[in-house]
Amino acid sequence: LAVLIVILFVAFQVLKSKTKSSSPEVKQTYSVGASKINLFYCSPSKKGREIFGGIIKYGEVWRTGANEPTTFETDKNLVVDGKKLPAGKYSVWTIPQQDSWTVIFNKEIPIWGDNTDGKAARNDKTDVLQVVIPVEKLITSQEKLSIDANNNALTIIWDMTKITVPIVVE
């Protein structure tokens, strides 16, 4: 049994490293007012694919990156688009639509972003906050997914789409 556990652990690590080579990890720390925000996500590339409305279906929950779900950690209470978000660590999920996205902060952080059926691993019963943010269409395409938390906003940019979620310290 111990040998099987070791083999499975090693196999998981190899699989994880292979998937991360095409969607590398990004770890950033930002200051928003007096708050320190730690952001983690895996950044996939467009690679000529249709992203929103294509591989990322409109109206379906997305892990907002590749591999594991994106995480957002703050050491201070924040106000996110007018709604309170307590200090803590959250997984970030989105529901993209053509004209707006629902951005979700969830208190559970699953090991992987998708279930075996390919659907997002989010447990909606543990959602802490949801906001609906309008989409900004870009003039030029962004090849790699970019997420940052500075200038009093959480910004997500990929392909021809940008959303900006206002954030201030409570």
Side-chain angles (χ1 to χ4, degrees), residues 71-105:
T71 60
F72 178 98
E73 183 176 16
T74 175
D75 62 348
K76 302 272 192 278
N77 295 338
L78 300 176
V79 177
V80 178
D81 195 36
K83 296 181 179 180
K84 292 183 181 184
L85 181 69
K89 187 172 184 178
Y90 303 95
S91 54
V92 178
W93 308 84
T94 51
I95 304 174
Q97 298 286 2
Q98 287 182 327
D99 298 322
S100 66
W101 284 20
T102 301
V103 179
I104 304 161
F105 293 83

Coordinates of all heavy atoms in Angstrom, one line a residue, residues 71-105:
T71 N -6.2 32.0 -6.5 CA -6.4 32.3 -5.1 C -6.1 33.8 -4.9 O -5.2 34.4 -5.6 CB -5.6 31.5 -4.1 OG1 -4.2 31.6 -4.4 CG2 -6.0 30.0 -4.2
F72 N -6.8 34.4 -4.0 CA -6.7 35.8 -3.6 C -6.7 35.9 -2.1 O -7.6 35.4 -1.5 CB -7.9 36.5 -4.2 CG -8.0 38.0 -3.9 CD1 -7.6 38.9 -4.9 CD2 -8.6 38.4 -2.7 CE1 -7.7 40.3 -4.6 CE2 -8.7 39.8 -2.5 CZ -8.3 40.7 -3.4
E73 N -5.6 36.4 -1.5 CA -5.5 36.5 -0.1 C -5.3 38.0 0.3 O -4.4 38.6 -0.2 CB -4.4 35.6 0.4 CG -4.2 35.6 1.9 CD -3.1 34.6 2.4 OE1 -2.3 34.2 1.5 OE2 -3.1 34.3 3.6
T74 N -6.0 38.4 1.3 CA -5.9 39.8 1.8 C -5.7 39.8 3.3 O -6.4 39.0 4.0 CB -7.1 40.7 1.4 OG1 -6.9 42.0 2.0 CG2 -8.4 40.1 1.8
D75 N -4.9 40.6 3.8 CA -4.7 40.7 5.3 C -5.6 41.8 5.9 O -5.6 41.9 7.1 CB -3.2 41.0 5.6 CG -2.8 42.3 5.1 OD1 -3.5 43.0 4.2 OD2 -1.7 42.8 5.5
K76 N -6.4 42.5 5.1 CA -7.4 43.5 5.7 C -8.7 43.2 5.0 O -8.8 42.7 3.9 CB -6.9 44.9 5.3 CG -5.5 45.3 5.8 CD -5.6 45.9 7.1 CE -4.3 46.5 7.6 NZ -3.2 45.7 8.1
N77 N -9.8 43.7 5.7 CA -11.1 43.7 5.1 C -11.1 44.6 3.9 O -10.5 45.7 4.0 CB -12.2 44.1 6.1 CG -12.3 43.2 7.3 OD1 -11.9 42.0 7.2 ND2 -12.8 43.7 8.4
L78 N -11.8 44.2 2.9 CA -11.8 45.0 1.6 C -13.3 45.3 1.3 O -14.2 44.6 1.7 CB -11.2 44.3 0.5 CG -9.7 43.9 0.6 CD1 -9.2 43.1 -0.6 CD2 -8.8 45.1 0.8
V79 N -13.5 46.3 0.4 CA -14.7 46.5 -0.2 C -14.5 46.3 -1.7 O -13.7 46.9 -2.4 CB -15.2 47.9 0.0 CG1 -16.6 48.2 -0.7 CG2 -15.4 48.2 1.5
V80 N -15.2 45.3 -2.2 CA -15.1 44.8 -3.6 C -16.3 45.2 -4.4 O -17.4 44.7 -4.1 CB -14.8 43.3 -3.7 CG1 -14.8 42.8 -5.1 CG2 -13.6 42.9 -2.9
D81 N -16.2 46.2 -5.3 CA -17.3 46.8 -6.0 C -18.5 47.1 -5.1 O -19.6 46.7 -5.4 CB -17.7 45.8 -7.1 CG -18.6 46.5 -8.2 OD1 -18.4 47.7 -8.5 OD2 -19.5 45.8 -8.7
G82 N -18.2 47.7 -4.0 CA -19.3 48.1 -3.0 C -19.7 47.1 -2.0 O -20.5 47.3 -1.2
K83 N -19.1 45.8 -2.1 CA -19.5 44.8 -1.1 C -18.3 44.4 -0.3 O -17.2 44.3 -0.7 CB -20.0 43.5 -1.9 CG -21.3 43.8 -2.7 CD -21.8 42.6 -3.4 CE -23.0 42.8 -4.2 NZ -23.5 41.6 -4.9
K84 N -18.6 44.1 1.0 CA -17.6 43.8 2.0 C -17.0 42.4 1.7 O -17.8 41.4 1.6 CB -18.1 43.9 3.4 CG -18.4 45.3 3.8 CD -18.9 45.4 5.2 CE -19.2 46.8 5.6 NZ -19.5 47.0 7.0
L85 N -15.7 42.3 1.8 CA -14.9 41.0 1.7 C -14.0 40.9 2.9 O -13.1 41.7 3.0 CB -14.1 40.9 0.4 CG -13.4 39.6 0.2 CD1 -14.3 38.4 0.0 CD2 -12.4 39.7 -0.9
P86 N -14.3 40.0 3.9 CA -13.5 39.9 5.1 C -12.0 39.5 4.7 O -11.8 38.8 3.7 CB -14.1 38.9 5.9 CG -15.5 38.8 5.4 CD -15.4 39.1 3.9
A87 N -11.1 39.9 5.5 CA -9.7 39.4 5.4 C -9.7 37.9 5.3 O -10.5 37.3 6.0 CB -8.8 40.0 6.5
G88 N -8.8 37.3 4.5 CA -8.8 35.9 4.4 C -8.2 35.5 3.0 O -7.8 36.3 2.2
K89 N -8.3 34.1 2.8 CA -7.8 33.6 1.5 C -9.0 32.9 0.8 O -9.8 32.2 1.5 CB -6.7 32.5 1.8 CG -6.1 32.0 0.5 CD -4.9 31.1 0.9 CE -4.2 30.7 -0.4 NZ -3.0 29.9 -0.1
Y90 N -9.1 33.2 -0.5 CA -10.3 32.8 -1.2 C -9.9 32.2 -2.6 O -8.8 32.6 -3.1 CB -11.2 34.0 -1.5 CG -11.7 34.7 -0.3 CD1 -11.0 35.8 0.2 CD2 -12.8 34.2 0.4 CE1 -11.4 36.4 1.4 CE2 -13.2 34.8 1.6 CZ -12.5 35.9 2.1 OH -12.9 36.6 3.2
S91 N -10.7 31.3 -3.1 CA -10.5 30.9 -4.5 C -11.4 31.9 -5.3 O -12.4 32.4 -4.8 CB -11.0 29.5 -4.7 OG -12.3 29.3 -4.3
V92 N -11.0 32.2 -6.5 CA -11.7 33.2 -7.4 C -12.2 32.4 -8.6 O -11.5 31.8 -9.3 CB -10.7 34.3 -7.8 CG1 -11.5 35.3 -8.7 CG2 -10.1 35.1 -6.6
W93 N -13.5 32.6 -8.8 CA -14.2 31.9 -9.9 C -14.9 33.0 -10.7 O -15.2 34.1 -10.2 CB -15.2 30.9 -9.4 CG -14.6 30.0 -8.4 CD1 -14.4 30.1 -7.1 CD2 -14.0 28.7 -8.7 NE1 -13.8 29.1 -6.5 CE2 -13.5 28.1 -7.5 CE3 -13.9 27.9 -9.9 CZ2 -12.9 26.9 -7.4 CZ3 -13.3 26.7 -9.8 CH2 -12.8 26.2 -8.6
T94 N -15.1 32.8 -12.0 CA -15.9 33.7 -12.8 C -16.9 33.0 -13.6 O -16.7 31.8 -13.9 CB -14.9 34.6 -13.7 OG1 -14.1 33.7 -14.4 CG2 -14.1 35.5 -12.9
I95 N -17.9 33.8 -14.0 CA -18.9 33.3 -15.0 C -18.9 34.3 -16.1 O -19.5 35.4 -16.0 CB -20.3 33.1 -14.4 CG1 -20.2 32.2 -13.2 CG2 -21.3 32.6 -15.5 CD1 -21.5 32.1 -12.4
P96 N -18.1 34.1 -17.2 CA -18.0 35.0 -18.3 C -19.3 35.0 -19.1 O -19.9 34.0 -19.3 CB -16.8 34.5 -19.1 CG -16.1 33.6 -18.2 CD -17.1 33.0 -17.3
Q97 N -19.7 36.2 -19.5 CA -20.7 36.5 -20.4 C -20.2 37.5 -21.5 O -19.1 38.0 -21.2 CB -22.0 37.1 -19.8 CG -22.6 36.2 -18.7 CD -23.4 35.1 -19.3 OE1 -23.5 34.8 -20.5 NE2 -24.0 34.3 -18.4
Q98 N -20.8 37.7 -22.5 CA -20.3 38.6 -23.6 C -20.2 40.0 -23.0 O -19.2 40.7 -23.3 CB -21.2 38.6 -24.8 CG -21.1 37.3 -25.6 CD -21.9 37.3 -26.9 OE1 -23.0 37.9 -26.9 NE2 -21.4 36.7 -27.9
D99 N -21.1 40.5 -22.3 CA -21.1 41.9 -21.8 C -20.7 42.1 -20.4 O -20.5 43.2 -20.0 CB -22.5 42.5 -22.1 CG -22.8 42.5 -23.6 OD1 -21.9 42.8 -24.4 OD2 -24.0 42.3 -24.0
S100 N -20.8 41.1 -19.6 CA -20.4 41.2 -18.1 C -19.9 39.8 -17.6 O -20.2 38.8 -18.2 CB -21.6 41.7 -17.3 OG -22.6 40.7 -17.3
W101 N -19.2 39.9 -16.5 CA -18.8 38.7 -15.8 C -19.2 38.7 -14.4 O -19.2 39.8 -13.8 CB -17.3 38.6 -15.8 CG -16.6 38.2 -17.0 CD1 -17.0 38.3 -18.3 CD2 -15.2 37.7 -17.1 NE1 -16.1 37.8 -19.2 CE2 -15.0 37.5 -18.5 CE3 -14.2 37.4 -16.2 CZ2 -13.7 37.0 -18.9 CZ3 -13.0 37.0 -16.6 CH2 -12.8 36.8 -18.0
T102 N -19.6 37.6 -13.8 CA -19.8 37.5 -12.4 C -18.5 37.0 -11.8 O -17.9 36.0 -12.3 CB -20.9 36.4 -12.1 OG1 -22.1 36.9 -12.7 CG2 -21.1 36.3 -10.6
V103 N -18.0 37.7 -10.9 CA -16.7 37.4 -10.2 C -17.1 36.9 -8.8 O -17.8 37.6 -8.1 CB -15.8 38.6 -10.1 CG1 -14.5 38.2 -9.4 CG2 -15.5 39.1 -11.5
I104 N -16.6 35.7 -8.4 CA -17.0 35.0 -7.2 C -15.8 34.8 -6.3 O -14.7 34.2 -6.8 CB -17.6 33.7 -7.5 CG1 -18.8 33.9 -8.5 CG2 -18.0 33.0 -6.3 CD1 -19.2 32.7 -9.2
F105 N -15.9 35.2 -5.0 CA -14.9 34.8 -4.0 C -15.4 33.7 -3.2 O -16.5 33.9 -2.6 CB -14.5 36.1 -3.2 CG -13.8 37.1 -4.0 CD1 -14.5 38.1 -4.7 CD2 -12.4 37.2 -3.9 CE1 -13.9 39.0 -5.5 CE2 -11.8 38.2 -4.7 CZ -12.5 39.1 -5.4

